Amino acid sequence: MSDPLQVVCPHCDAINRVPAARLAERPVCGACKGALFTGKPVALDEARFRRHLRASSVPLLVDFWASWCGPCQAMAPQFEAAARVLEPAMRLVKVSTEDAPALAQEMAIRSIPTLALFRGGAEVARQAGATGTAQIVAWARQAAA
Ligand SMILES: [Zn+2]
């Protein structure tokens, strides 16, 4: 477990190598010097999502949402609060199905909001429907275990 993790920068998408033991020490990006974890979900378009999915050793918890979706709006602050709890063990990401329709189709997103957890580039769990912060945290931790 001493191998460094690959952490994709939420600002410039540079791939950083961070020892697992130092994840919690507020690591910064070697390229742009921004914080690698900001305690907030990162909004990604399709190309950026694919890069993070391919390169990140940190599990990605993705909120597939759309601006017209009321339950998605209701869950947004819950998801944001979950980011403060789950980082840096996970990277929380938001993908708009309006901006990335091909990706949503490829991922077979049939209802929104849908939460999906990816580890090592592969989906390991998903859950449809709006839910609260505590439920998001518990579900994600169980799914990533
Ligand atoms: Zn950066």
Side-chain angles (χ1 to χ4, degrees):
M1 289 299 287
S2 60
D3 287 346
L5 299 172
Q6 287 197 166
V7 179
V8 185
C9 178
H11 312 288
C12 74
D13 298 335
I15 297 167
N16 289 260
R17 291 181 174 277
V18 182
R22 302 199 52 194
L23 262 193
E25 297 172 12
R26 300 183 173 275
V28 298
C29 175
C32 76
K33 311 303 179 194
L36 287 178
F37 293 95
T38 61
K40 287 183 180 170
V42 185
L44 298 179
D45 63 16
E46 180 171 345
R48 293 189 68 200
F49 173 76
R50 290 190 190 281
R51 180 175 174 84
H52 281 248
L53 183 63
R54 192 174 60 243
S56 179
S57 315
V58 178
L60 296 183
L61 177 58
V62 186
D63 173 16
F64 290 96
W65 70 289
S67 64
W68 49 261
C69 159
C72 297
Q73 310 289 356
M75 193 174 79
Q78 310 289 326
F79 191 68
E80 196 160 324
R84 289 194 288 273
V85 179
L86 289 169
E87 286 191 356
M90 295 179 200
R91 163 81 69 212
L92 274 66
V93 167
K94 290 177 74 81
V95 172
S96 163
T97 57
E98 293 166 288
D99 297 341
L103 181 66
Q105 188 171 22
E106 179 185 320
M107 297 283 172
I109 304 300
R110 293 192 174 83
S111 67
I112 49 174
T114 285
L115 294 176
L117 186 78
F118 295 85
R119 197 171 51 187
E123 182 176 336
V124 294
R126 90 165 42 182
Q127 167 181 294
T131 182
T133 303
Q135 287 78 14
I136 294 169
V137 168
W139 176 82
R141 281 181 173 156
Q142 186 183 24

